[in-house]
Amino acid sequence: MAERRERLISAAYMLYSDPGFPETTIEKLCTAARISNRAFYECFSGRNELMQALHERCVQETLTAVAKSIAQAPDTPLGRAEAGIAGYITYVTEDRRRARIMHLEVRRAGDCLTMSRQQAVQAFTQIIETNVFDLPRVAETDRRLLALGMIGAIQELLIEWVLADDPPPVDSLISTATHIFYRSFTT
């Protein structure tokens, strides 16, 4: 069963990113994974549960990549923030499918993934709170709201990157997000 589950997650990684979550039927997933519809339902209750498993895997892998970037950064709030931003954007954009699933298709999946999205946002909020909130200016603001604003800005930059006919260079995404960070956290 674990091997079939992995094949379905791999099929969903391809199909949920293109043609997209709403357009991907269980039949298409089963064909791509080379399993029967019955075998699908032995692994997942439906497309939504499969999307949730895929999204959570993408988030966990990204959290690991960001933690590694921060651990290798200069041990200052600004050094950790810059490394975290660059680590996040670089990792997510290394595979356009990952960026599309994490920032576009998860929204297109609808209410069924609201909890999964909120858990991901909470995990990234915790990273920001843990690594950059010893900056002097931050003490004057609501830290959680500031972290959420930063997350929202990065999400919108990545949605633009996914949807644009001529996507901005990844370096521009990183420098823009870093600029937003500096303006939000240090001025």
Side-chain angles (χ1 to χ4, degrees), residues 26-171:
I26 289 174
E27 290 73 25
K28 287 179 183 177
L29 289 162
C30 290
T31 299
R34 299 177 323 275
I35 65 167
S36 69
N37 283 15
R38 180 173 179 241
F40 176 93
Y41 287 107
E42 290 172 356
C43 297
F44 296 99
S45 63
R47 293 180 326 127
N48 295 344
E49 186 180 351
L50 175 55
M51 179 60 162
Q52 182 174 351
L54 175 59
H55 179 253
E56 289 173 0
R57 178 175 291 179
C58 288
V59 167
Q60 280 308 117
E61 291 170 351
T62 305
L63 285 166
T64 300
V66 170
K68 182 177 177 184
S69 295
I70 291 171
Q72 296 171 348
D75 192 22
T76 65
L78 294 177
R80 291 187 302 268
E82 289 173 356
I85 290 167
Y88 183 87
I89 292 173
T90 299
Y91 186 76
V92 170
T93 58
E94 281 176 355
D95 188 332
R96 188 173 211 81
R97 296 172 297 184
R98 182 184 303 121
R100 186 171 180 100
I101 288 164
M102 289 179 69
H103 294 284
L104 184 63
E105 296 304 322
V106 70
R107 287 176 167 83
R108 294 178 75 202
D111 292 341
C112 65
L113 289 181
T114 299
M115 183 63 73
S116 184
R117 282 184 60 226
Q118 288 307 108
Q119 289 171 345
V121 168
Q122 181 57 39
F124 287 107
T125 299
Q126 183 63 44
I127 287 176
I128 293 169
E129 289 182 50
T130 302
N131 288 286
V132 301
F133 282 145
D134 49 350
L135 292 169
R137 175 104 165 107
V138 174
E140 302 169 14
T141 61
D142 184 320
R143 295 172 175 202
R144 183 174 175 279
L145 292 178
L146 202 52
L148 288 171
M150 189 65 212
I151 290 167
I154 291 172
Q155 287 177 345
E156 291 303 318
L157 291 170
L158 288 164
I159 289 170
E160 172 64 20
W161 183 82
V162 166
L163 294 177
D165 290 333
D166 184 21
V170 172
D171 289 345

